[in-house]
């Protein structure tokens, strides 16, 4: 029998909507006050989805604080919601530079090829010679310049240093971000996804993790913490029950079509699995892929 019958689907939808167990969904909290990087259990300068799940287990009392002391920011022997949210913030944006560990590269490692074309249009877009020098040069057509030409979680500027403007038309386009697993029966308890979309053609209402962005993303199975940069969206997804979810739609994103823009094709969107964990929690990033389906 299919694992997710209608009652379990409804329970997960309710759990995700109300943020049962953690993470979100009151908006992102402030970063850790101490020098450590909250949630960075292995001190590699990044917070993985398996580390977030370890933090949830500590908060639930099913694991000891000693499993990952960096979650316990105030050293009170427990993990509270604000500490979990600080760790989610670090998973989205990278560990703070004051944390004593290197900030992770914003470029995610590509996963196995997905079932459909997912390459973004970025390589064909004009790139100024000055793009990547850390100075936004409007006369070269740049709208941002963060000192590099990488794209990935926490990167607020795309590889071509240009985020196209969008005048909303009011027309909505729904993108289902579907994840696949190998083997097919692998259960996933958490995902970090990076979804690149064609800026200037569609846009997510709002920016970063404000209420408009929170209202534009939804999941039947996962609690979601999104972060939108107006050209791409990063989403940290955790199964509220920590029992694992079968391959399928991870998250749906409501986009607004820009005025005068053509109807986009699915090939104009790209999805990268930045991080994935099973319920144990063990990293299974190389066993999960994703793609975008429009409807």
């Amino acid at each position: 029998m299919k694992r997710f019958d209608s009652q379990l689907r409804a329970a997960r939808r309710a759990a995700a909507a109300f943020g049962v167990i953690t993470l979100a969904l009151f908006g992102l909290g402030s970063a850790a006050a101490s020098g450590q990087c909250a949630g960075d259990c292995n001190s590699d300068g990044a917070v993985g989805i398996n580390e977030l799940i370890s933090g949830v287990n500590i908060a639930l009392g099913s694991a000891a604080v000693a499993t990952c002391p960096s979650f316990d920011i105030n050293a009170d022997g427990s993990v509270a919601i604000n500490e979990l949210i600080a760790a989610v913030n670090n998973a989205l944006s990278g560990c703070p530079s004051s944390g004593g560990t290197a900030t992770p590269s914003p470029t995610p490692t590509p996963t196995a090829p997905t079932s459909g074309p997912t390459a973004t249009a970025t390589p064909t877009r004009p790139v100024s010679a000055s793009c990547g020098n850390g100075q936004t040069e409007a006369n070269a057509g740049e709208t941002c310049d963060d000192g590099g030409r990488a794209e990935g979680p926490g990167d607020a500027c795309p590889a071509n240093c240009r985020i196209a403007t969008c005048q909303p038309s009011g027309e909505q386009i729904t993108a289902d971000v579907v994840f696949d697993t190998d083997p097919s029966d692998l259960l996933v308890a958490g995902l970090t996804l990076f979804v690149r979309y064609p800026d200037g053609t569609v846009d997510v209402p709002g920016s970063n993790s404000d209420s408009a962005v929170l209202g534009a993303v939804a999941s039947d199975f996962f609690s979601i913490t999104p972060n939108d940069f107006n050209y791409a969206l990063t989403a940290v997804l955790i199964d509220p029950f920590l029992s694992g979810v079968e391959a399928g739609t991870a998250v749906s994103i409501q986009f607004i079509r820009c005025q005068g823009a053509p109807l986009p094709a699915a090939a104009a969107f790209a999805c990268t699995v930045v991080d994935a964990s099973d319920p144990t929690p063990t990293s299974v990033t190389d066993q999960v892929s994703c793609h975008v389906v429009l409807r």
Side-chain angles (χ1 to χ4, degrees), residues 116-122 196-198 263-271 291-294:
T118 57
T120 69
T122 301
R196 178 65 155 98
Y197 55 84
L263 193 66
F269 296 75
C271 179
H291 62 280
V292 174
V293 177
L294 302 181

Side-chain angles (χ1 to χ4, degrees), residues 61-225:
S62 58
V65 173
T67 303
C68 184
S70 69
F71 274 100
D72 186 12
I73 297 171
N74 62 0
D76 68 349
S78 64
V79 174
I81 183 65
N82 63 306
E83 293 168 316
L84 285 169
I85 292 174
V88 172
N89 211 356
N90 291 333
L92 283 168
S93 302
C95 289
S97 57
S98 60
T101 52
T103 301
S105 169
T107 305
T109 300
T111 57
T114 62
S115 58
T118 57
T120 69
T122 301
T124 63
R125 295 177 181 177
V127 180
S128 67
S130 60
C131 177
N133 67 1
Q135 299 179 5
T136 301
E137 300 184 17
N139 60 352
E142 297 179 3
T143 63
C144 59
D145 194 324
D146 59 3
R149 293 188 179 182
E151 294 181 356
D155 195 339
C157 187
N160 62 351
C161 298
R162 301 177 183 183
I163 299 176
T165 58
C166 178
Q167 294 297 325
S169 67
E171 179 185 350
Q172 290 189 335
I173 297 173
T174 301
D176 291 328
V177 183
V178 179
F179 75 98
D180 304 294
T181 61
D182 183 15
S184 59
D185 61 351
L186 176 68
L187 297 180
V188 174
L191 288 164
T192 300
L193 303 178
F194 180 74
V195 181
R196 178 65 155 98
Y197 55 84
D199 49 302
T201 301
V202 297
D203 192 27
V204 177
S207 59
N208 300 120
S209 299
D210 63 19
S211 58
V213 174
L214 291 172
V217 296
S219 177
D220 285 347
F221 305 118
F222 294 100
S223 292
I224 313 164
T225 301

Side-chain angles (χ1 to χ4, degrees), residues 8 20 23 77-78 84 102-103 153 186 205 215 245-246 255 287:
L8 182 55
V20 173
L23 281 174
S78 64
L84 285 169
T103 301
L186 176 68
V245 176
E246 290 179 335
F255 289 97
Q287 296 173 261

